[in-house]
C-alpha cells in the first residue's frame, strides 16, 4: 500500500511539473496595434533547420500595414514581402535590428519591390517597419514557423 502511495505521489509531482513547463507561453499580435493577447505559441528559434519545401506565402506592405500581419507557416516556407503601397518601407527583425540574418532596408524596398526569405528554423519571428512603427506598435508583423 505504501508503494502505491509513493508511486501516486511521484506521478502527481510529474504532472504538476509538466503543467508549469516552459514553452507553453502564448501571445499574438493584434491588427489594431500590437497588443499581446492569448493565442499563438511563442517558440524559441532552434538549431534544427529544414530544407525549402516549395511553399510560398506573400505579405503585402500597403500604406502603414503588413497584410497579413500574423502568419503561421511550416519550416522551409518562403515568405515574400511585396511593397504594394506608394511609400518606401523596410522589414526589420525585432531581435536583429541591423537585419544581418534576414530583412530588407528601405533602399531596396521601394514601391513595387519584393523581398523574400526562407524560414528554415522553427520559432517566432517578429518584425516591423522602422519608418512606420516600432518593435511594439505601428507597422508590425509576426511569422510563426512550425516544425513540419
Amino acid at each position: 500500500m505504501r508503494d502505491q502511495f509513493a508511486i501516486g505521489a511521484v506521478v502527481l509531482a510529474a504532472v504538476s511539473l509538466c503543467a508549469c513547463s516552459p514553452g507553453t507561453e502564448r501571445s499574438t499580435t493584434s491588427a489594431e496595434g500590437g497588443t499581446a493577447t492569448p493565442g499563438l505559441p511563442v517558440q524559441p528559434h532552434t538549431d534544427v533547420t529544414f530544407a525549402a519545401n516549395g511553399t510560398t506565402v506573400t505579405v503585402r506592405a500597403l500604406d502603414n500595414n503588413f497584410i497579413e500581419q500574423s502568419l503561421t507557416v511550416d519550416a522551409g516556407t518562403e515568405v515574400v514581402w511585396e511593397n504594394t503601397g506608394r511609400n518606401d518601407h523596410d522589414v526589420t527583425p525585432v531581435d536583429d535590428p541591423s537585419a544581418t540574418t534576414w530583412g530588407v532596408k528601405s533602399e531596396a524596398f521601394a514601391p513595387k519591390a519584393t523581398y523574400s526569405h526562407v524560414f528554415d528554423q522553427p520559432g517566432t519571428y517578429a518584425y516591423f517597419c522602422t519608418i512606420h512603427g516600432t518593435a511594439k506598435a505601428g507597422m508590425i508583423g509576426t511569422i510563426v514557423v512550425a516544425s513540419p
Side-chain angles (χ1 to χ4, degrees):
M1 180 76 151
R2 265 194 258 186
D3 290 337
Q4 289 175 341
F5 180 74
I7 291 172
V10 169
V11 170
L12 181 59
V15 169
S16 297
L17 287 174
C18 289
C20 297
S21 67
T24 58
E25 181 181 343
R26 299 185 175 286
S27 68
T28 61
T29 305
S30 72
E32 292 79 32
T35 305
T37 56
L40 296 175
V42 174
Q43 303 170 356
H45 301 206
T46 66
D47 290 333
V48 177
T49 59
F50 294 88
N53 60 21
T55 303
T56 302
V57 177
T58 302
V59 174
R60 293 183 307 136
L62 177 62
D63 298 325
N64 295 337
N65 296 293
F66 288 114
I67 304 168
E68 297 291 320
Q69 188 175 32
S70 182
L71 292 174
T72 300
V73 298
D74 285 338
T77 298
E78 177 183 32
V79 177
V80 177
W81 284 265
E82 294 180 350
N83 186 342
T84 59
R86 58 182 179 233
N87 299 314
D88 289 354
H89 296 290
D90 60 25
V91 176
T92 303
V94 169
D95 63 352
D96 182 14
S98 60
T100 58
T101 55
W102 65 280
V104 64
K105 302 289 186 191
S106 60
E107 301 82 35
F109 201 52
K112 299 184 182 174
T114 62
Y115 162 73
S116 67
H117 179 75
V118 174
F119 288 90
D120 59 1
Q121 292 183 322
T124 300
Y125 298 82
Y127 61 93
F128 65 106
C129 173
T130 63
I131 302 167
H132 301 105
T134 67
K136 295 185 179 185
M139 193 170 177
I140 59 176
T142 305
I143 308 291
V144 177
V145 180
S147 294

